[in-house]
């Protein structure tokens, strides 16, 4: 029972992390697939501990300061992707663009690290953000490196449109993944968000028994400031940063 309650509490925290505006008890319970009574007890307890805050006027719950402590604590651990920061900062300084690191989590790309560049117009790249794999250059790079069975499973899943340019046809995406596998890098042209283009490469795997790459690095740019060919010319710099990140992570 203790493990079950812990699991329910973690599901609620995960649900609230995806709704920064806050949720009422019923909405939170529905999203976490819990009975309302259980959600109410757990939210009250987590509020006492500071992991959740309650807005009594709006009757909503949102993540609290203790959740922020957990996030910062994670980044200080060996698993917190700290080895990426040196190469990412150097790349951001050289290009002026935002550098983002992400992993594939299910059918989404989860942003785990970001470093802002120097351009006056910077893109939103909040750590912890999730995006559909097929709408992002990082997602395409990571899926292209997966075994064929994994690629086909993801191609058969929901492929929602995030923007007018999102590729949502499985055959078109399959051809795109073939191109990525051939070239060794991926791009997205206003596919996840209007006005944004990006390129991405996988961080190489140094252990031959570790399986396909688990991390990708991306350069993101506003289309009004950085042309498509200009961004594509930065692929060698991105590949160098990825190799350096792999070396630091050994």
């Amino acid at each position: 029972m203790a493990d079950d309650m812990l699991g329910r509490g973690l599901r609620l925290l995960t649900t609230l992390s995806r709704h920064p505006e806050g949720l009422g008890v019923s909405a939170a319970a529905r999203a976490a697939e819990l009975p309302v009574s259980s959600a109410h007890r757990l939210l009250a307890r987590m509020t006492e501990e500071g992991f959740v805050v309650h807005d009594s006027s709006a009757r909503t719950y949102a993540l609290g300061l203790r959740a922020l402590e957990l996030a910062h604590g994670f980044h200080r651990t060996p698993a917190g992707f700290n080895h990426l920061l040196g190469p990412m900062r150097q790349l951001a300084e050289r290009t002026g663009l935002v550098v983002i690191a992400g992993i594939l989590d299910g059918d989404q790309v989860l942003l785990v690290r970001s470093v802002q560049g120097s351009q006056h117009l910077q893109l939103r790249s909040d750590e912890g953000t999730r995006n559909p794999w097929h709408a992002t250059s990082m997602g395409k790079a990571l899926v292209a490196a997966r075994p064929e069975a994994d690629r086909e499973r993801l191609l058969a899943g929901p492929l929602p449109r995030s923007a007018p340019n999102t590729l949502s046809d499985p055959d078109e995406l399959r051809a795109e993944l073939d191109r990525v596998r051939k070239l060794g890098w991926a791009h997205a042209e206003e596919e996840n968000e209007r006005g944004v283009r990006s390129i991405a490469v996988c961080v190489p795997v140094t252990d031959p028994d570790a399986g396909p790459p688990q991390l990708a690095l991306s350069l993101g740019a506003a289309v009004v400031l950085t042309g498509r060919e200009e961004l594509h010319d930065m692929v060698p710099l991105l590949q160098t940063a990825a190799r350096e990140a792999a070396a630091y992570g050994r």
Side-chain angles (χ1 to χ4, degrees), residues 7-48:
R8 291 182 174 192
L10 292 174
R11 278 158 56 192
L12 274 173
L13 287 176
T14 302
T15 296
L16 292 181
S17 74
R18 297 172 181 171
H19 296 273
E21 73 283 1
L23 290 173
V25 174
S26 296
R30 186 164 54 251
E33 299 181 347
L34 295 175
V36 174
S37 58
S38 296
H40 189 272
R41 288 195 301 271
L42 287 166
L43 288 169
R45 181 61 177 146
M46 289 189 289
T47 298
E48 293 176 2

Side-chain angles (χ1 to χ4, degrees), residues 73-154:
F74 167 73
H75 279 314
R76 293 193 294 269
T77 69
F81 305 103
N82 291 321
H83 65 284
L84 301 175
L85 290 179
M88 290 176 68
R89 286 169 178 158
Q90 292 175 15
L91 183 60
E93 290 174 1
R94 295 189 67 179
T95 64
L97 303 179
V98 61
V99 185
I100 308 167
I103 63 173
L104 190 66
D105 186 22
D107 61 355
Q108 296 179 317
V109 171
L110 174 64
L111 276 56
V112 297
R113 279 295 195 183
S114 66
V115 175
Q116 293 297 312
S118 57
Q119 279 192 346
H120 69 273
L121 179 59
Q122 290 289 304
L123 309 177
R124 285 193 60 187
S125 55
D126 297 335
E127 295 166 357
T129 299
R130 292 175 176 270
N131 294 303
W133 75 266
H134 63 288
T136 68
S137 57
M138 284 194 295
K140 292 185 211 175
L142 288 166
V143 172
R146 290 291 194 276
E148 182 179 2
D150 289 347
R151 297 199 305 273
E152 290 301 317
R153 176 179 54 80
L154 288 166

